[in-house]
Amino acid sequence: MERTSLTRFARLSIVAALVTIALKTAAYLLTGSVGLLSDALESFVNLAGAIMALAMLAVAARPADDEHPHGHGKAEYFSSGVEGTLILTAGASIALAAIMRLLHPQPLESLGVGLAVSGAATLVNLWVARVLMQAARRHGSVTLEASSHHLIADVWTSVLVIAGVGLVHVTGLQWIDSAAALVVSAYVLWTGVRIVRQSVLGLMDSAMDSAEREAVQAALVPHLSGGIQYHALRTRLSGARRFVSLHVLVPGEWTVHAGHEL
């Protein structure tokens, strides 16, 4: 599959975000649950992240040119960085809403219908997250990976919220709803920090992971005979692309042509 076609997965994320926004907002309006409100707010973040992912995937798919001889793959790190920042903002907003509701509790209503609607939105997110992760692994896209992790965080958010609202329904203890929202905010903040960290490392030319470096070294071993050596092996990541540089040492009696052939 050409990398330009990866934008269709970002479009899928946008559609999923719009669907879940509608469902979760309806669930909040039905119940008045701050937990379900926090869930709906995160879906708006999903939408903003999906739009950013669509733009950056289009940029990353552009071929190398005179100004960007190594391609445009690093554009994906900007997308995942922005998405991580949006997740952090959502986490802080959820925590604030939960604290305010703890200070000013309100009764919840229509819990059965609200939970059913929120559950449907959760299933949509789970399916889309799995599709995005499979595409991310197949094509090495950090943008799709960040979007998938974001949706998985949203799924866990929804599960915790639904469990909290369900406990309120069973026990009548209103504070459980706010407590569930606080737990959700902590998980969302952790996810945001992890995604931002990955983006920063990518922009700083992080080396390939140990398994990939070992594969490079294994590919060089068959050529190390008759006085041939190498040193200064360096690797770096640029979105889905990998770059490797090294210095090759050959016997002094070799011709320049023989060295070039090696």
Side-chain angles (χ1 to χ4, degrees):
M1 179 188 296
E2 294 293 332
R3 291 194 64 79
T4 51
S5 66
L6 294 184
T7 55
R8 69 189 180 94
F9 293 105
R11 293 190 184 94
L12 176 63
S13 293
I14 291 174
V15 173
L18 290 172
V19 171
T20 54
I21 284 172
L23 290 173
K24 291 180 179 181
T25 300
Y28 162 66
L29 293 175
L30 285 168
T31 62
S33 164
V34 69
L36 291 175
L37 172 61
S38 70
D39 216 7
L41 288 174
E42 193 179 357
S43 292
F44 280 99
V45 177
N46 290 349
L47 177 60
I51 293 172
M52 182 66 178
L54 178 60
M56 290 300 99
L57 282 171
V59 172
R62 294 175 184 171
D65 53 36
D66 291 340
E67 294 185 356
H68 305 89
H70 294 288
H72 299 78
K74 280 196 173 182
E76 291 201 48
Y77 291 115
F78 288 103
S79 173
S80 59
V82 168
E83 187 152 8
T85 303
L86 290 172
I87 292 172
L88 289 173
T89 302
S93 300
I94 292 168
L96 178 61
I99 291 171
M100 294 302 295
R101 182 57 64 88
L102 275 174
L103 296 175
H104 307 285
Q106 297 179 18
L108 306 184
E109 302 174 352
S110 304
L111 295 183
V113 177
L115 291 179
V117 174
S118 182
T122 302
L123 292 176
V124 171
N125 276 339
L126 179 60
W127 176 73
V128 175
R130 290 175 61 86
V131 171
L132 293 183
M133 182 56 73
Q134 290 172 357
R137 290 172 176 170
R138 190 161 58 247
H139 303 287
S141 171
V142 293
T143 296
L144 293 181
E145 182 180 354
S147 295
S148 176
H149 283 308
H150 190 177
L151 287 177
I152 289 295
D154 200 8
V155 169
W156 282 112
T157 296
S158 299
V159 169
L160 288 171
V161 167
I162 290 172
V165 175
L167 285 174
V168 171
H169 180 63
V170 172
T171 64
L173 299 174
Q174 303 295 326
W175 62 265
I176 294 177
D177 178 47
S178 298
L182 284 173
V183 173
V184 165
S185 70
Y187 179 74
V188 170
L189 287 169
W190 176 79
T191 301
V193 168
R194 187 160 52 89
I195 291 176
V196 169
R197 179 179 179 275
Q198 180 185 14
S199 302
V200 170
L201 290 176
L203 289 172
M204 293 179 65
D205 285 339
S206 294
M208 293 157 54
D209 63 34
S210 58
E212 291 179 325
R213 291 198 302 271
E214 289 172 3
V216 172
Q217 292 168 342
L220 294 170
V221 168
H223 303 285
L224 302 181
S225 60
I228 299 170
Q229 303 175 46
Y230 74 88
H231 67 99
L233 175 65
R234 297 182 178 89
T235 67
R236 69 181 179 90
L237 304 177
S238 180
R241 303 182 69 187
R242 271 75 174 138
F243 291 91
V244 179
S245 66
L246 69 156
H247 296 170
V248 178
L249 307 178
V250 300
E253 65 272 15
W254 274 35
T255 64
V256 174
H257 175 75
H260 281 194
E261 285 296 309
L262 175 64

